[in-house]
Amino acid sequence: RRSVAVRRFDGQTQRWVDADASADAAVDRDELTVATFNIWFDDYHAEQRYLAIADLLCKRRPDVIVLQEVTPAALAIFLGQPWDRREYLSASAVGGDTGKYGMLMLSRVPITRASYSRLPTRQTRGFLEAELAVNDTRLIVCCLHLDSGKSSAHLRAWQLRRIFRAQRSAEDAVLLGDFNMRDAENNRITPPYCDVWPTVRPNDPGFTEDTSINLMRFDARNKKRQVRFDRVLLKGTRWRAESIALLGTKPISPELPRVFPSDHFGVDCRLVKVRGRGQPRR
């Protein structure tokens, strides 16, 4: 586990600089929105796709954004957006021990610390963790990317146990990212963790890789697939999931009808603060 710098954009120097955690007081929020997107590291229309993802996120302005498969080139694009330079803190693990791609977290909520941990892996995978200062409590947000492929099912179980152990002391935590888990592995998510999608939308499969919609994903592999790899897990009693939705389910432009923002769909989730007997303040 290693510490990760939390940065804010300095308009005077036009650079991302280290943020002073002590300068940001905890914020009070009745709701939080979190979003995850595996942006696909492939060069195929990469800049156009990344800009399309940035535009989606700009319109929704989630409080916390986590991205996986972030290359140095992608990092430069996302950190170059006026909206995140103006409103967000950043913490990234890209390059070095993360391999050819890594992770980026953007937060409109003060971050008191951030760290990156390697996992037991065949694919240079790990998790990026941040502690948010919200409502005078500690909320942990963890961006993860588990090993892919059916043959890595046992390794994913090991990785998930490692992440759960890391969150053992956290009363409230949100784990989100690319789990690469198939339905046969769902029994690995047990209390105190809640898998938000089937809880909030039990009659919707929530496929985040769906070749019946995402023609780019089909073209890339020439194989049909419908799986819910990208997930949001919630732990604790202070927050309740109110809604969850997919992002990036349409082509990036009419001129490129078979090019989507990514081979995955993103996931956007709204959490509400629980009051009294589990009732959020309206």
Side-chain angles (χ1 to χ4, degrees):
R1 177 175 173 173
R2 61 175 172 85
S3 178
V4 170
V6 179
R7 295 191 167 98
R8 67 170 67 253
F9 189 74
D10 184 343
Q12 288 190 328
T13 63
Q14 291 293 295
R15 295 177 57 194
W16 287 88
V17 299
D18 288 354
D20 181 2
S22 63
D24 291 324
V27 294
D28 289 324
R29 292 289 183 88
D30 286 340
E31 65 176 56
L32 283 173
T33 51
V34 296
T36 177
F37 222 125
N38 180 326
I39 66 171
W40 194 33
F41 71 97
D42 197 271
D43 288 337
Y44 184 71
H45 291 281
E47 182 173 355
Q48 291 165 287
R49 293 190 297 102
Y50 299 155
L51 289 172
I53 293 172
D55 186 56
L56 284 170
L57 296 172
C58 173
K59 289 174 180 175
R60 299 184 78 96
R61 291 293 209 284
D63 292 300
V64 182
I65 299 165
V66 301
L67 307 178
Q68 305 89 47
E69 297 199 15
V70 179
T71 62
L75 183 68
I77 289 172
F78 282 99
L79 292 185
Q81 300 304 305
W83 54 271
D84 63 12
R85 289 183 167 190
R86 189 169 54 246
E87 299 177 25
Y88 288 80
L89 298 167
S90 73
S92 61
V94 176
D97 61 351
T98 66
K100 59 188 174 184
Y101 52 67
M103 302 175 172
L104 169 64
M105 183 181 297
L106 298 168
S107 176
R108 296 201 298 174
V109 176
I111 299 175
T112 54
R113 64 170 180 84
S115 64
Y116 178 78
S117 300
R118 282 286 302 274
L119 289 167
T121 178
R122 292 194 289 260
Q123 298 177 320
T124 326
R125 301 291 165 86
F127 60 97
L128 177 64
E129 181 184 5
E131 180 180 293
L132 305 188
V134 57
N135 299 344
D136 294 320
T137 62
R138 186 175 72 125
L139 174 65
I140 301 297
V141 175
C142 178
C143 170
L144 59 88
H145 192 187
L146 306 186
D147 274 43
S148 62
K150 291 182 179 179
S151 63
S152 294
H154 291 296
L155 180 55
R156 281 193 292 276
W158 189 8
Q159 292 174 332
L160 199 58
R161 287 195 299 269
R162 168 72 180 82
I163 294 168
F164 285 167
R165 283 200 305 271
Q167 309 307 322
R168 191 164 40 198
S169 64
E171 291 185 22
D172 297 277
V174 182
L175 278 55
L176 70 170
D178 182 1
F179 287 68
N180 272 310
M181 289 170 52
R182 291 161 172 81
D183 285 345
E185 302 170 66
N186 286 344
N187 59 1
R188 293 174 183 158
I189 300 173
T190 58
Y193 290 95
C194 165
D195 191 349
V196 171
W197 190 282
T199 302
V200 175
R201 303 180 67 165
N203 299 316
D204 184 339
F207 298 133
T208 61
E209 281 197 16
D210 189 347
T211 54
S212 71
I213 299 171
N214 194 330
L215 303 177
M216 183 180 73
R217 179 66 178 80
F218 180 78
D219 293 343
R221 304 291 176 87
N222 195 29
K223 183 179 179 182
K224 294 181 179 179
R225 172 180 269 183
Q226 290 180 309
V227 289
R228 187 171 62 90
F229 282 160
D230 306 83
R231 305 183 182 216
V232 179
L233 306 188
L234 181 61
K235 174 189 177 184
T237 59
R238 292 187 177 94
W239 297 95
R240 174 175 67 82
E242 177 76 7
S243 62
I244 191 165
L246 298 178
L247 300 173
T249 59
K250 296 180 180 179
I252 63 174
S253 73
E255 294 73 31
L256 295 168
R258 299 184 79 89
V259 179
F260 283 68
S262 175
D263 59 346
H264 290 235
F265 299 143
V267 181
D268 178 83
C269 177
R270 185 165 72 94
L271 307 175
V272 293
K273 183 179 177 181
V274 173
R275 290 277 179 174
R277 297 180 180 178
Q279 295 299 315
R281 177 168 38 175
R282 299 296 183 182

